[in-house]
Amino acid sequence: MNNIRSLVNAVQPAIGCLAARALSHTCRRISVVYERASAQQNVCTCNLPMHVSYRNFSDAPLTNFDDAKAARLGGNCWNCGKLVDGLSKFFCLSCGSVLPVNDSENYFTLLDTKRDFKVSLSELQKKFINFQRLLHPDKFSVKSALEREISENNSSLLNKAYFTLLKSLNRGIYMLELEGIFMGENVSADDPEFLMEIMDLNERVADAESVDALRAIRNEVSAYVGTLTDKISDAFANDNISVAKACLISFKYYDNILEKLKERLPPS
Amino acid sequence: MAALRRLLFTNVRNVQSVSPMSLSIRAYHEKVIDHYENPRNVGTLDKKSKTVGTGLVGAPACGDVMRLQIEVGDDGKIVDAKFKTFGCGSAIASSSLATEWIKGKSVGEAATIKNTHIAKELSLPPVKLHCSMLAEDAIKAAIKDYAVKQESLE
């Protein structure tokens, strides 16, 4: 094994990472571990994100997903058995195997984002794409069934996290859930004036005859939503959860109208 | 080369064919579709009239709004009912059915209509039960509004 490792290490700069990986795979799946540039991501010296599994252990690796999850809960890697570094979310730093995500993670921690109502969408997208590059099931097509299952779960969880945090309404509702507050199926007749306003807006959308009329309504509702998101942002910043919840409820009604408008307006 | 090919293909997953018969189809019940395509009692009554009660309710979780209005005759019976709902098909059907049911009933009888009756009539699935709740609350809100107006007259 050492001969193969030194061989691949030696030729890697010449033939590149992908070829080196293919070479090591053909050598009976005995592969090499590249020194990582950063603690969290497995990045090879050429800066292509990649990881390889390293089998050099005394105990046989686990093969069942639930066992792997249990191992993770206990702080161990299912493959090499070593203790998992607290920093690594998706990969074992010792052997590079993909790991099931810990239960303590939430959508913000998964995407390496500060838990806040205001997020930078471009940063979020960058992180999402980078993590999916490492975790997408297509990258695991030649790996064991367990690794494929783990990567599918992780990738799907990442999708959920990204698309929840992307829209401010869903982000706000998720932040409430993290505080233990759920919207629930209750019906309310509270705030009849607000409900009347929503009724009026809906009727105007239904009766609108021209694209201009629809656009006017959209601009009006977008303005209301803008004020609301500012309020929500302040409420979360000041830990004013009840105000945040009330605003998010109003936001939901406006958002439904915006969705209806989106259907009727040509893409702009 | 042969070894490489073997390596590439040993891990290809077996794709199981899914028979269309094995997929369960979730669809709106035909009664719900009927109410959606042939809505009854859609419209408005004069909010300012002393004999009209207006109920306006909303569901925060899904953002649906429902307005149900009743016109009460001198004998205390509901002579007319109109509704307008912005929401899913189940919500529209629930409010449409509600207006059908309360017409001709006394105000007291209309107040006894329960969401479970509506849900049963429309065969609403569990996930849509709150739509029938919305209709029940709309009836009660309309009755309450009428009662408040009548009280202010006396």
Side-chain angles (χ1 to χ4, degrees), chain A residues 107-114 116-132 158-168 171:
Chain A
Y107 291 167
F108 288 99
T109 61
L110 280 177
L111 284 166
D112 256 351
T113 308
K114 179 165 162 263
D116 194 52
F117 185 67
K118 283 201 274 267
V119 301
S120 156
L121 292 178
S122 56
E123 285 295 318
L124 197 71
Q125 186 185 43
K126 240 187 271 178
K127 286 179 182 141
F128 171 67
I129 290 177
N130 281 338
F131 280 127
Q132 283 291 28
L158 261 184
N159 279 337
K160 276 195 209 120
Y162 177 63
F163 289 105
T164 303
L165 297 186
L166 199 58
K167 274 192 74 175
S168 41
R171 196 185 317 138

Side-chain angles (χ1 to χ4, degrees), chain B residues 41-113:
Chain B
N41 307 317
V42 175
T44 347
L45 297 169
D46 181 11
K47 204 167 20 185
K48 297 188 207 63
S49 164
K50 293 285 181 273
T51 53
V52 168
T54 303
L56 193 51
V57 290
C62 53
D64 291 350
V65 279
M66 188 185 286
R67 181 186 65 216
L68 195 145
Q69 291 177 301
I70 54 174
E71 169 132 33
V72 187
D74 297 326
D75 55 353
K77 284 211 160 58
I78 295 172
V79 298
D80 198 10
K82 290 261 187 273
F83 84 98
K84 186 73 192 135
T85 297
F86 292 101
C88 66
S90 302
I92 294 171
S94 298
S95 41
S96 173
L97 186 69
T99 55
E100 274 191 319
W101 275 0
I102 58 179
K103 267 196 196 170
K105 286 201 166 67
S106 74
V107 169
E109 285 171 330
T112 62
I113 291 179

Side-chain angles (χ1 to χ4, degrees), chain A residues 197-234:
Chain A
E197 181 197 335
I198 296 294
M199 259 336 284
D200 277 339
L201 282 166
N202 271 300
E203 278 175 333
R204 277 166 61 191
V205 171
D207 295 337
E209 312 246 301
S210 69
V211 172
D212 285 335
L214 289 171
R215 282 219 182 96
I217 303 173
R218 185 181 62 185
N219 294 338
E220 190 183 331
V221 176
S222 298
Y224 297 144
V225 164
T227 326
L228 267 180
T229 44
D230 288 338
K231 256 202 220 156
I232 295 169
S233 182
D234 287 337

Side-chain angles (χ1 to χ4, degrees), chain A residues 11-54:
Chain A
V11 302
Q12 183 263 327
I15 62 175
C17 285
L18 293 175
R21 182 159 64 159
L23 177 65
S24 62
H25 272 282
T26 57
C27 302
R28 299 280 186 88
R29 287 171 55 104
I30 296 167
S31 42
V32 293
V33 173
Y34 289 92
E35 289 302 292
R36 285 164 302 283
S38 82
Q40 277 177 301
Q41 292 175 7
N42 282 315
V43 178
C44 153
T45 49
C46 73
N47 279 326
L48 263 184
M50 62 181 288
H51 80 284
V52 263
S53 66
Y54 180 140

Side-chain angles (χ1 to χ4, degrees), chain B residues 11-24:
Chain B
N11 285 324
V12 169
R13 264 175 285 177
N14 290 320
V15 177
Q16 277 176 321
S17 57
V18 179
S19 118
M21 288 299 135
S22 66
L23 294 171
S24 67

